Amino acid sequence: QVQVVESGGGLVQPGGSLRLSCAASGNIFSIYVMGWYRQAAGKQRELVARITSSGVTNNADSVRGRFTISMDNAKSTVYLQMNSLKPEDTAVYYCNAELHNGNYRASYWGQGTQVTVSS
């Protein structure tokens, strides 16, 4: 069994910062990729940023230069530092982990954490 748990969401004013964390635990043989996705009300879930275990990153154009993804392989934890937040960043942020659980490669999702950017 694998668990993916996010933390760090909340309410922030425009221009402010937040740091999200996501930890994967359980039967983890190896992690391939971890990433952050978001879903705003009435919209489809979209990629925000993802990082491979070797440190290669991929960011959405809408967050490039403002958000930074990083990963602590030893802790199976991924972080998303969000700066210069805008109201359009408001969404539920979901963490995803692509890993090998000892039997096969699979994708696991967290329950999501709300980020609200408003004055």
Side-chain angles (χ1 to χ4, degrees), residues 8-83:
L11 173 65
V12 63
Q13 292 186 344
S17 299
L18 277 177
R19 188 190 194 211
L20 305 183
S21 299
C22 169
S25 62
N27 295 333
I28 300 173
F29 181 74
S30 62
I31 293 178
Y32 301 111
V33 183
M34 293 188 76
W36 289 96
Y37 294 73
R38 67 186 180 187
Q39 187 167 18
K43 295 187 177 181
Q44 290 188 334
R45 190 174 298 188
E46 62 176 5
L47 171 70
V48 176
R50 59 201 301 260
I51 183 169
T52 70
S53 58
S54 59
V56 177
T57 62
N58 179 28
N59 290 1
D61 290 342
S62 59
V63 306
R64 192 165 290 123
R66 300 187 298 123
F67 292 10
T68 302
I69 189 170
S70 60
M71 185 160 67
D72 185 333
N73 288 315
K75 296 181 180 179
S76 300
T77 299
V78 65
Y79 306 96
L80 186 68
Q81 178 65 44
M82 304 186 293
N83 299 328

